[in-house]
Amino acid sequence: MSEPTNTNAIEIQVTTEYIEEQSNPEKDRFVFAYTITIRNHGTEPVQLLSRYWRIQDGNEQVHEVEGEGVVGQKPMLEPGQDFTYTSGTAIATPIGHMEGHYIFERADGSQFTAPIPCFRLAHSAMIH
């Protein structure tokens, strides 16, 4: 689990899991699920508009992903509310990492970026 990041009163926590049944190590395919909880500690509602991911495998190959919302949603977070979702990624090595950011919008239309802390993707057999 990563350390929580709190920017503009948005806290982001991440947990990861190796998905053995979807992985194929012989073909350099290692699949990971990541569960993210976003919590609004602020005093006003905010809406998650978009995301950006930088995914790097153990061979330093980088894949970038950008898009609207998360898992097909653009959640509105009222003060004190949280939103949790699970998604996944596949990389070519048993160890890698991800980091990125979300773009949020306040009720007045102003936007801000909340960084997503760097977190490790690792097959449990590879952790020492």
Side-chain angles (χ1 to χ4, degrees):
M1 182 158 171
S2 68
E3 287 297 311
T5 296
N6 190 327
T7 301
N8 281 299
I10 298 297
E11 178 186 349
I12 299 168
Q13 291 184 304
V14 183
T15 59
T16 62
E17 178 184 2
Y18 175 68
I19 309 297
E20 187 169 359
E21 47 289 350
Q22 293 180 22
S23 297
N24 188 340
E26 293 78 29
K27 293 188 177 179
D28 295 329
R29 179 176 168 80
F30 298 85
V31 177
F32 297 89
Y34 53 90
T35 300
I36 298 190
T37 299
I38 304 164
R39 187 166 290 114
N40 182 2
H41 290 291
T43 59
E44 60 184 332
V46 296
Q47 183 174 20
L48 191 156
L49 298 180
S50 64
R51 72 195 181 292
Y52 166 80
W53 288 112
R54 183 180 186 280
I55 306 161
Q56 183 171 329
D57 70 19
N59 295 327
E60 298 186 14
Q61 294 298 308
V62 174
H63 179 67
E64 295 179 298
V65 178
E66 269 185 282
E68 289 191 1
V70 291
V71 293
Q73 300 179 54
K74 292 183 181 179
M76 176 69 76
L77 297 170
E78 296 294 330
Q81 190 176 29
D82 60 58
F83 177 79
T84 299
Y85 73 95
T86 300
S87 191
T89 191
I91 59 175
T93 61
I95 296 177
H97 64 270
M98 290 177 64
E99 61 188 324
H101 64 260
Y102 296 123
I103 303 290
F104 285 91
E105 185 172 79
R106 298 179 186 94
D108 67 6
S110 63
Q111 296 181 0
F112 65 93
T113 301
I116 303 165
C118 183
F119 57 92
R120 183 168 59 170
L121 305 169
H123 184 305
S124 58
M126 302 304 292
I127 300 173
H128 302 287

